[in-house]
Structure formats: structure tokens, C-alpha cells
Amino acid sequence: MNILLVHCRYRIAGGEDEVAAGDRRLLEKMGHTVHTLYRSNEELDGMGAIGRLRSTLGYVYSASAGKEYVKLIRERSIDAVWVHNTLWMIGGAIYEAAAECGVPVIQTVHNYRMLCPCGTMYRNGKICRECLYKGLHKAIMHRCYRGSGILSLVLTLAMMRQRRSGIYRDMRFVCLTDLQKKMLLEADIGIRDDRVYIKHNHCETPMRWIPYDERKNCFVYAGRLAENKGIRELLEAWRRLEKEVYINRPENCPQLVICGDGELADYVAGYIRKNELNYVNYVGKIQRDRLAGILSEARALIYPTKWLEGQPMAIVEAYSVGTPVIASDLGNAGAMVDEGRTGKHIAPDDMIGSLVDIIQSADVCSCYDETAMRKKAELYSTDSAVKAIEAILEGLPAKRQGVNRS
């Protein structure tokens, strides 16, 4: 099958970029021919004000981009278009181009952008469902996307155009979790239950599992350094551990290794310096194989997120090397942890205190059940992903006579 994989990379690489790349490798290993439509939001940095404005408005719809996509699909005899992310440089024209060519579309649902213009359903430090229950105009009122009324308006218009066009009726959707599927269907935006699939993120980094009693006295955070990831709370928890809990026995204080990049990178480095934290090591953005090595030696991954999440690759990677996860008891991250067997839950309403209690408790090691951990690793394995992809592709309709929906 000739598949066009569509993805717009973010300025700061994250889990979605990794999943898109992993899906491409799997599809090719399965014998499919994968063509790519890749763009990057870094392209915006080299544009002038007019160029950025044109690209931003083009996210809603661009006739010129639509013609290019139609040409690409027809010239390469594409059988299916598999979309990951279209924000900002690809836009909604790809869906209408595929419809015009009679080619089925698969959309991987990484976040909540089909329900919330911001994509996170998170505002002012808490989960927000106003767009879901009160209307998309709430995003414009609150300037949800990066505090910009204009950008929030553009994203809202794009969502409204796609919903009103009826393209969702013919698309297949790949959700990462049951929670995502439930929310999509409850939104009543024209998506059919029998066209929504579950395909978990997967990890391709097989490593030898280090016995838990041979691991270092360290914990790992891996992910974007952003406010909604709970990084501020994590740092404050470690300050309390180092400066209060273990003040008289510093040799027992566990190490925290922070891996990642993002808008709070300077804050993280500055906080460590200001508070003279000797047991926090900020290593920045690192390669996946190095991260796997660090995770394999750790007592647990800590994931103190404050939003619903998609399906964090950091958690998938931790399970792949047999490392338990300490995650917020919230949304998809919380659902990935079996309390007391594959990790522990952080109380979302007292994140700092909960983290301190978990880390210093004597039973933190008791959350390790190897049988349960092996089942988690299998759930997020390459073999499981291949089976899910096979089911998705088998359920696709054949190419049909193109329909011009412009």
C-alpha cells in the first residue's frame, strides 16, 4: 500500500514527533511504501511578518496548498493518507485534498485539538472543558492559545470549518487511549464509533532489564519543561527533600535527573543554582538511547503532569526497561499506572507534599511487580503496535472516485 505520512514537526521536538517517526519505520517494515509530507514550525522563524500571517491564516484553508497536496497524492498514487500533526505549516487543506482524490484519511489523535483549540484542555492551572460543553467561542474569549486572541480565533475557525465540512464522517481516527476515544465520541462532532481505533504508543528500544535491587538511588523526569507538566512542583519537592527531609543525612537523599527542554529550561537551571541543589542534575535534551539507559538504572520515572495528556512516551519508555512510574492520578498518565504494581500515584491536589511522601517512604520499592511490569512492556511493544496497524489498514475502504468539496 502507498501511504502518505503527514506531520508538521514542533519547534521543540516531543513525543508526537517520535511517534510519527516510529510509525513510519513500522509501516516500512510491514512492507508498505511510505511517502512523507513533512514540514516544521521552525520555518516560521525565517519568515517576515507577511509570511507568518499568510501561513497562520493558511492553517484554516489554503487553496494553493490544497492544489499541491492533490498533485502529490495523485502523482504518487497514494492509497491512504495518515495524518499526525498539521499545525501550523500543513493545515486543514490536506483533508480536503484527500477527499478530492477519493483517498481515505487516518488521523492519529495525539492531543485534544479536535475538542479544544489550545489542544490541552488546560487553562489557568487547571483542567478546562468549556469549549467542549459551552462552545468553541470560549477559546477566543479566554485567548487560550498562547494568550493570543488572533491565534485562538484562527484555530477556532479551522475547527469549525472541518466540523461543518463533514469530512469527519469518512475519516478513521486512531486514539491512544480509551479516555481519548470516549471524549471524541461524546463531543458529537460527526465521528462514528466503528471508525475509531485504539493504538497505543510503542517503544523500539529493547534493553536488558536491570534487577530492581541493583539500581541507583535516583529518579528521572523526562519530558517538556513546561508549566502544565508540573516541573515547578517537582523542583520544590526535591528542594524540601534535600534541604529539610535529608538535611541531617544527605548521603541518603536520592538524585533527581531532569531530561528535556522547553520554555521553562532557564527557570529549571536557575532554580537549581539559586537553591544550591546538589541532588538535582539537569542534563537537558538527550538522545533516546541515552534516556533509555538512564531510565533503566533508575528507581522510578516521575511524571507529575497537571493536564490530561495523550499517552506520554516517557512512561512507555520507562516500562520498556522495567522501570516503575510515579505519575499524577489524573487523565491518561494516571491510567497508565497500576497503583502498587507498576508505580504510584501523585495526589493532584497536593502534588508537592504527595511527591515528598512517596519518595521518602520506605515502601517506594514495593510498587515493583515484575509480572505486571512485563505486561505493561508488552502492551506498549512493537508487536502490539503492528497488530493495531494491521487492523486499521484492513478496515480502510478502497480508493473511490474523487469528489471536489471546495
Side-chain angles (χ1 to χ4, degrees):
M1 181 178 286
N2 276 350
I3 298 172
L4 178 63
L5 191 69
V6 179
H7 182 57
C8 185
R9 299 185 181 95
Y10 294 91
R11 282 189 173 93
I12 299 175
E16 291 186 32
D17 303 306
E18 185 180 349
V19 173
D23 282 356
R24 176 185 179 178
R25 290 191 291 269
L26 277 190
L27 287 165
E28 290 176 335
K29 287 180 180 179
M30 294 168 67
H32 300 288
T33 300
V34 180
H35 304 267
T36 58
L37 172 56
Y38 284 165
R39 299 289 298 272
S40 171
N41 286 331
E42 289 183 339
E43 297 173 36
L44 291 167
D45 298 335
M47 297 180 182
I50 300 299
R52 287 197 297 272
L53 177 62
R54 184 182 297 113
S55 294
T56 300
L57 296 177
Y59 178 71
V60 179
Y61 183 76
S62 168
S64 59
K67 290 179 181 178
E68 292 179 9
Y69 301 154
V70 167
K71 180 181 179 182
L72 175 65
I73 292 169
R74 287 176 173 163
E75 285 185 346
R76 302 192 182 181
S77 300
I78 298 299
D79 298 306
V81 174
W82 195 319
V83 181
H84 283 269
N85 176 50
T86 62
L87 184 74
W88 285 94
M89 298 303 299
I90 295 176
I94 186 62
Y95 303 113
E96 297 181 43
E100 183 174 334
C101 297
V103 174
V105 174
I106 305 164
Q107 172 71 61
T108 294
V109 183
H110 290 281
N111 49 46
Y112 302 93
R113 190 156 285 122
M114 295 183 65
L115 307 175
C116 159
C118 197
T120 59
M121 299 186 71
Y122 180 86
R123 181 174 63 85
N124 292 340
K126 59 184 180 181
I127 303 298
C128 174
R129 293 183 172 87
E130 285 197 30
C131 285
L132 189 59
Y133 298 124
K134 297 182 180 180
L136 295 177
H137 65 283
K138 289 294 184 178
I140 305 171
M141 291 175 56
H142 296 310
R143 300 172 180 243
C144 288
Y145 190 82
R146 300 188 177 182
S148 169
I150 293 176
L151 294 179
S152 299
L153 172 62
V154 169
L155 289 168
T156 300
L157 291 174
M159 291 175 67
M160 293 173 64
R161 178 185 174 90
Q162 290 171 20
R163 290 182 181 185
R164 291 174 179 174
S165 70
I167 59 173
Y168 292 165
R169 290 193 302 268
D170 299 324
M171 290 170 59
R172 269 61 179 173
F173 296 89
V174 179
C175 291
L176 309 178
T177 68
D178 292 324
L179 174 62
Q180 282 184 320
K181 178 177 179 178
K182 180 175 181 290
M183 292 177 67
L184 267 188
L185 295 175
E186 286 181 349
D188 193 22
I189 54 177
I191 298 174
R192 290 171 42 175
D193 178 88
D194 61 344
R195 295 185 178 181
V196 182
Y197 298 82
I198 299 292
K199 174 189 163 294
H200 299 297
N201 287 338
H202 68 280
C203 185
E204 303 172 90
T205 313
M207 293 185 66
R208 182 183 71 86
W209 286 23
I210 297 176
Y212 199 71
D213 58 2
E214 296 179 12
R215 298 190 177 210
K216 297 178 180 178
N217 186 23
C218 81
F219 295 81
V220 179
Y221 170 85
R224 188 181 296 273
L225 304 183
E227 192 275 332
N228 64 357
K229 292 290 190 178
I231 189 66
R232 295 178 191 269
E233 288 80 1
L234 177 58
L235 286 170
E236 174 58 20
W238 233 263
R239 186 199 66 77
R240 292 188 189 180
L241 286 167
E242 184 172 334
K243 302 300 183 182
E244 299 174 20
V245 176
Y246 293 101
I247 185 66
N248 295 320
R249 44 195 176 99
E251 68 280 2
N252 293 335
C253 186
Q255 185 86 12
L256 172 64
V257 181
I258 299 177
C259 309
D261 196 3
E263 53 266 36
L264 291 184
D266 291 340
Y267 171 85
V268 170
Y271 189 97
I272 295 170
R273 288 194 304 270
K274 179 181 177 180
N275 292 278
E276 299 180 338
L277 299 181
N278 298 314
Y279 292 88
V280 180
N281 182 17
Y282 172 39
V283 300
K285 182 72 175 178
I286 60 175
Q287 296 296 318
R288 309 313 303 186
D289 55 351
R290 184 184 172 196
L291 174 60
I294 293 174
L295 283 170
S296 71
E297 298 176 332
R299 294 174 69 188
L301 168 77
I302 301 180
Y303 208 83
T305 186
K306 297 159 70 176
W307 70 291
L308 297 176
E309 294 283 349
Q311 190 169 66
M313 278 301 299
I315 296 180
V316 173
E317 289 165 332
Y319 285 144
S320 77
V321 293
T323 297
V325 176
I326 300 170
S328 302
D329 191 9
L330 179 69
N332 289 311
M336 295 174 75
V337 176
D338 296 339
E339 176 71 28
R341 302 185 68 214
T342 67
K344 290 189 174 292
H345 285 126
I346 304 166
D349 56 348
D350 182 22
M351 196 171 288
I352 296 172
S354 181
L355 270 169
V356 171
D357 290 343
I358 291 171
I359 300 304
Q360 69 171 325
S361 67
D363 69 342
V364 70
C365 299
S366 67
C367 66
Y368 188 86
D369 180 323
E370 184 166 345
T371 299
M373 294 293 294
R374 294 283 179 187
K375 288 181 178 178
K376 287 289 187 181
E378 174 60 29
L379 181 65
Y380 305 118
S381 68
T382 298
D383 288 344
S384 294
V386 167
K387 292 177 183 177
I389 291 174
E390 288 174 343
I392 293 164
L393 296 181
E394 287 173 2
L396 289 180
K399 289 173 65 174
R400 62 183 187 277
Q401 183 70 31
V403 177
N404 192 333
R405 300 189 180 189
S406 60

